[in-house]
Amino acid sequence: MTLQRNLSNFMNAVRSSKKQSITEFAEEVGVSRSEMQQILKGTCNLRIDTVKYIADNLDVDPEAMLFPSYTESQQEFALLLLRTLDAFSRLPKEKQKDASFLFHDLILMMEENE
């Protein structure tokens, strides 16, 4: 997979998870709509400083944008999981404990249905 395809998969997953239009996402990232379209198609050859600029605006490591070995759907799932873990970590300790018990119960219920 090329760097452009990796970047495209990453950016498509992020945009999809945010449920943003191309224009909204381009504005958030700080690039033009036409440049964002090229990025999302995997046809854009960005300069290193532009990749860093986009990564800074998305608050991610530039390497994560260029070197993932995930498909777009896997990337979406990974982002969802990371956001969930982040939200969990911000809960008060008692709520974390409650959520852990609920998660455990959910796993047991799913196991019963197999």
Side-chain angles (χ1 to χ4, degrees):
M1 205 178 277
T2 67
L3 293 176
Q4 288 93 342
R5 179 56 39 208
N6 289 343
L7 179 63
S8 172
N9 286 345
F10 180 85
M11 297 295 280
N12 275 297
V14 172
R15 184 176 81 87
S16 176
S17 74
K18 293 176 176 250
K19 298 178 178 25
Q20 291 179 321
S21 70
I22 292 173
T23 302
E24 292 169 331
F25 191 50
E27 288 173 4
E28 177 183 342
V29 169
V31 299
S32 70
R33 185 181 194 287
S34 62
E35 189 170 29
M36 180 56 69
Q37 286 175 312
Q38 290 179 340
I39 292 168
L40 296 173
K41 288 181 192 173
T43 59
C44 188
N45 288 316
L46 296 176
R47 294 176 7 180
I48 296 297
D49 60 333
T50 305
V51 172
K52 171 105 173 71
Y53 176 76
I54 291 171
D56 288 347
N57 286 340
L58 291 175
D59 195 28
V60 297
D61 186 330
E63 287 183 28
M65 295 171 45
L66 297 174
F67 300 113
S69 58
Y70 300 127
T71 65
E72 186 176 326
S73 61
Q74 290 170 327
Q75 192 75 34
E76 286 177 27
F77 180 76
L79 287 169
L80 175 63
L81 183 58
L82 289 171
R83 286 194 177 105
T84 302
L85 292 171
D86 182 54
F88 179 82
S89 72
R90 285 188 260 126
L91 290 173
K93 292 295 180 195
E94 191 58 37
K95 294 276 187 187
Q96 286 182 3
K97 185 177 175 183
D98 293 344
S100 296
F101 286 126
L102 291 171
F103 183 74
H104 175 73
D105 289 345
L106 176 63
I107 296 296
L108 293 177
M109 282 190 283
M110 292 174 71
E111 189 177 84
E112 290 173 2
N113 288 330
E114 289 184 0

